Amino acid sequence: DVAIKKSKELNFVNVYNDHVAQHSSTTCRREVVHHQFKRYPSEKCQNKRMRSFLNFGELEFLVGFDVETLKLLRVLDLGRLRFPLKINGDLIHLRYLGIDGYSFSDRAAIISKLRFLQTLEAYSEYPIEETIDLRKLTSLRHVIGQFVGELLIGDAANLQTLRFISSDSWNKLKPELLINLRDLEIYQDYEKRRVSVSWASLTKLRSLRVLKLDNLRLESEEAVRSTDVISPSLESVTLVGMTFEEDPMPVLQKMPRLEDLILEGCFYPGGKMSVSEQGFGRLRKLQIVMESLDELQIEEEAMP
């Protein structure tokens, strides 16, 4: 409350909610709007000085919000807001775009025009099925969304985060271009045929720190060789719904920088896993949720 009060005094941000019926200031640069748009007249959306717009709350529709007039806009977080949106590539200052999966139609064509975008966050319980062309967005650093359709990435030297990409889409990328990728999550799309990820593609991610694999097929012999290569940079590994033919601990415990390890819903027919002496030298968090695991043996001086 103190921060909001002070920000209003400094004209730093206007917050619209059910209890405050104030109008948008023509000099306010950042606006955070609750979903009750009856108190937020559409004609007040023409603030050409606006730098940031954030919507939160339930699903709502808005008519009259003309994004193209906001030439200086840097942050646009639409949340679950839906309305006709047209962008002709004039938002050269836009760095962050946050959308729900169904915020507006023609989203693929609109996103492809935002050449200087740095963060694309498509938070939604619904997957994005159409092809998203990001080849001209060379400044992209973070791409977050449930991408089932093809994800076209060109010169992605600046890309650091790529989450919720399907195994099929991942196999169509060129991982050798992702030289600065630090955070990666690949999942199996159940509505499509099961696609195995090429583990050789992961060996090219030399800057990778966080890796999550969800219900992917794991071929132990090839995976062991690949993991040895990518392990020097990994700090967090999460494996969900994986099947291990062999005890994965001998490989995982050798990762020199690994701090977090989560095995959730995985299956290992051996029933017993072992952590040897000096294993997991930097591990801080170990979470194992496996019905098939009967025993976890940890030798002395392991996990120092």
Side-chain angles (χ1 to χ4, degrees):
D1 292 339
V2 176
I4 293 177
K5 180 180 179 180
K6 189 64 176 178
S7 65
K8 290 179 179 179
E9 293 175 356
L10 298 175
N11 200 27
F12 180 78
V13 63
N14 281 353
V15 179
Y16 298 84
N17 53 44
D18 293 335
H19 308 292
V20 180
Q22 64 186 22
H23 295 294
S24 173
S25 169
T26 57
T27 60
C28 181
R29 298 184 178 185
R30 300 167 180 84
E31 298 196 4
V32 181
V33 185
H34 193 258
H35 70 275
Q36 297 292 343
F37 273 95
K38 292 181 180 179
R39 295 183 179 272
Y40 186 74
S42 59
E43 64 269 13
K44 296 299 181 182
C45 300
Q46 308 302 324
N47 179 7
K48 296 183 179 181
R49 296 175 178 267
M50 190 184 299
R51 302 291 197 277
S52 303
F53 178 86
L54 166 63
N55 169 71
F56 67 98
E58 300 299 324
L59 177 64
E60 286 291 334
F61 293 83
L62 178 65
V63 178
F65 188 79
D66 190 358
V67 176
E68 289 189 303
T69 63
L70 308 178
K71 304 296 185 180
L72 303 178
L73 197 64
R74 295 181 62 87
V75 176
L76 178 59
D77 193 336
L78 300 175
R80 296 177 62 84
L81 181 63
R82 298 185 184 181
F83 64 95
L85 179 64
K86 295 181 180 181
I87 295 179
N88 293 321
D90 294 331
L91 298 181
I92 60 174
H93 297 287
L94 192 65
R95 299 295 183 266
Y96 175 93
L97 176 63
I99 60 173
D100 178 82
Y102 290 95
S103 291
F104 49 86
S105 58
D106 299 328
R107 56 190 173 186
I110 291 175
I111 291 172
S112 65
K113 297 178 181 179
L114 304 174
R115 295 182 294 119
F116 300 100
L117 195 68
Q118 293 182 358
T119 300
L120 170 62
E121 188 169 1
Y123 39 83
S124 173
E125 57 194 60
Y126 305 103
I128 297 178
E129 299 181 354
E130 62 262 48
T131 297
I132 303 296
D133 191 349
L134 305 176
R135 288 175 293 184
K136 294 182 179 180
L137 282 62
T138 57
S139 298
L140 265 179
R141 297 180 182 178
H142 309 284
V143 177
I144 303 172
Q146 192 174 349
F147 300 101
V148 175
E150 189 171 0
L151 199 62
L152 303 178
I153 298 179
D155 183 4
N158 294 315
L159 192 63
Q160 299 177 19
T161 304
L162 181 57
R163 292 185 194 163
F164 311 116
I165 182 173
S166 69
S167 55
D168 187 51
S169 295
W170 170 257
N171 286 336
K172 296 177 182 179
L173 297 182
K174 296 181 179 180
E176 60 271 15
L177 300 178
L178 307 176
I179 58 176
N180 288 312
L181 190 65
R182 299 180 181 182
D183 190 340
L184 172 65
E185 179 173 345
I186 309 175
Y187 74 98
Q188 172 62 43
D189 180 17
Y190 292 105
E191 296 184 359
K192 296 185 178 181
R193 64 182 179 86
R194 192 174 182 84
V195 178
S196 298
V197 167
S198 171
W199 286 98
S201 65
L202 298 178
T203 66
K204 302 173 183 179
L205 306 175
R206 301 304 176 88
S207 300
L208 194 63
R209 296 181 181 179
V210 179
L211 174 65
K212 181 176 181 180
L213 304 178
D214 192 340
N215 285 285
L216 301 183
R217 184 175 301 169
L218 179 65
E219 299 177 2
S220 60
E221 184 178 353
E222 184 180 4
V224 167
R225 296 197 301 268
S226 299
T227 306
D228 285 341
V229 175
I230 66 175
S231 61
S233 61
L234 277 174
E235 298 176 359
S236 176
V237 174
T238 301
L239 305 177
V240 179
M242 310 288 285
T243 298
F244 305 112
E245 298 178 4
E246 302 174 1
D247 183 357
M249 293 301 179
V251 174
L252 296 173
Q253 68 183 2
K254 296 179 181 179
M255 297 182 178
R257 299 184 60 181
L258 189 63
E259 297 182 0
D260 298 333
L261 175 61
I262 299 176
L263 304 179
E264 181 179 342
C266 297
F267 178 76
Y268 172 54
K272 176 182 177 181
M273 293 183 179
S274 302
V275 179
S276 61
E277 183 178 333
Q278 300 301 322
F280 295 116
R282 298 183 60 177
L283 197 67
R284 296 183 178 182
K285 176 181 178 180
L286 176 61
Q287 179 178 324
I288 302 178
V289 183
M290 295 175 55
E291 294 183 359
S292 60
L293 183 62
D294 299 323
E295 179 182 355
L296 176 62
Q297 180 178 341
I298 301 178
E299 297 184 7
E300 292 186 9
E301 298 186 13
M303 303 182 185

